Amino acid sequence: MLNQVYRDIDVNMDVLKDKVVAVMGYGIQGRPQALNMRDSGFKVIVGAGPRDRFSDWNKAEMDGFEVYDFAEATKRADVVHMLLADPAQPPIYREFIHKNLKPNSTLSFCHGFNVLYGAILPPKNVNVVLFVPNSPGHLVREKFLEGSGIYGAIAVDQDVTGDAKEIVLAIAKAVGSTRVGTVEVNFQTETEGDNFEEQVL
């Protein structure tokens, strides 16, 4: 049985109207996704490491974003969108993010590895979702600016508010993926599929 393909017409972005999305990290995926979401009308802030050690802070400010340290960005966010490299996520999550997540907020990932294998253990009072565009970040931005997008996948691992799927679909639409098609998977399928793909490429 084929998964449903979600397109723009299937998604209502009002679910994140007046909400704050904190993009954690401003690198390969962070910058393109943050820019696309802002262009789509979302309120986006950026979470970064110390200004004197991370170039992300200055890059994001130059692009016009409000930038905060990881802890403060988490406190201000309704959606925490984790776009740091996989190895960097667990220590940053444990030290700065976990204790600052607001109840009923959404913790969003671009790869399921750390959640699937227990390196990150989200609290039980937040949504846990995944959105991944199947492309390097520069193409995510380029296709968006051309009026197209990169097909992607969503997953919901924990739905506390009852609308976690609607929230992650809104993220996918804001980044541009539902312009061409987004499918629903689960964290295990996405993670194992990505790991397999990396081995054969």
Side-chain angles (χ1 to χ4, degrees):
M1 182 177 178
L2 294 176
N3 289 347
Q4 178 180 346
V5 178
Y6 293 94
R7 301 190 184 277
D8 280 357
I9 194 172
D10 303 310
V11 184
N12 183 356
M13 293 206 298
D14 285 348
V15 70
L16 289 179
K17 184 179 181 181
D18 301 324
K19 304 293 186 181
V20 176
V21 178
V23 171
M24 298 301 192
Y26 203 67
I28 293 172
Q29 285 289 341
R31 183 175 186 269
Q33 291 197 37
L35 290 168
N36 289 6
M37 286 191 284
R38 183 176 67 183
D39 288 352
S40 295
F42 283 4
K43 168 65 174 175
V44 180
I45 62 175
V46 171
R51 184 192 291 265
D52 60 347
R53 287 190 288 145
F54 288 83
S55 61
D56 287 2
W57 193 300
N58 291 330
K59 287 191 296 185
E61 280 193 336
M62 288 177 64
D63 284 336
F65 288 102
E66 296 175 17
V67 187
Y68 303 94
D69 62 53
F70 293 122
E72 183 62 25
T74 302
K75 293 174 184 177
R76 291 172 177 262
D78 301 290
V79 175
V80 174
H81 195 36
M82 296 284 287
L83 294 177
L84 298 155
D86 282 337
Q89 287 185 19
I92 289 172
Y93 174 82
R94 287 192 292 267
E95 184 171 357
F96 302 110
I97 296 173
H98 182 86
K99 63 188 176 184
N100 292 306
L101 285 165
K102 297 188 295 192
N104 298 318
S105 61
T106 296
L107 182 60
S108 175
F109 294 87
C110 197
H111 183 33
F113 182 90
N114 282 315
V115 173
L116 182 65
Y117 295 113
I120 289 177
L121 299 173
K124 298 298 184 183
N125 62 351
V126 302
N127 298 325
V128 181
V129 303
L130 176 149
F131 161 65
V132 53
N134 196 37
S135 168
H138 70 278
L139 289 178
V140 171
R141 183 60 175 163
E142 288 175 17
K143 291 293 185 181
F144 181 90
L145 292 174
E146 291 170 2
S148 183
I150 297 293
Y151 74 91
I154 61 156
V156 176
D157 192 63
Q158 192 165 285
D159 184 0
V160 170
T161 60
D163 59 358
K165 183 174 176 179
E166 288 74 16
I167 289 170
V168 71
L169 278 171
I171 294 169
K173 182 174 181 177
V175 174
S177 283
T178 54
R179 292 175 175 178
V180 293
T182 299
V183 298
E184 184 174 8
V185 294
N186 58 45
F187 273 56
Q188 181 175 359
T189 300
E190 185 280 328
T191 302
E192 292 178 351
D194 187 73
N195 290 345
F196 178 78
E197 188 176 82
E198 288 178 358
Q199 293 298 317
V200 299
L201 291 179

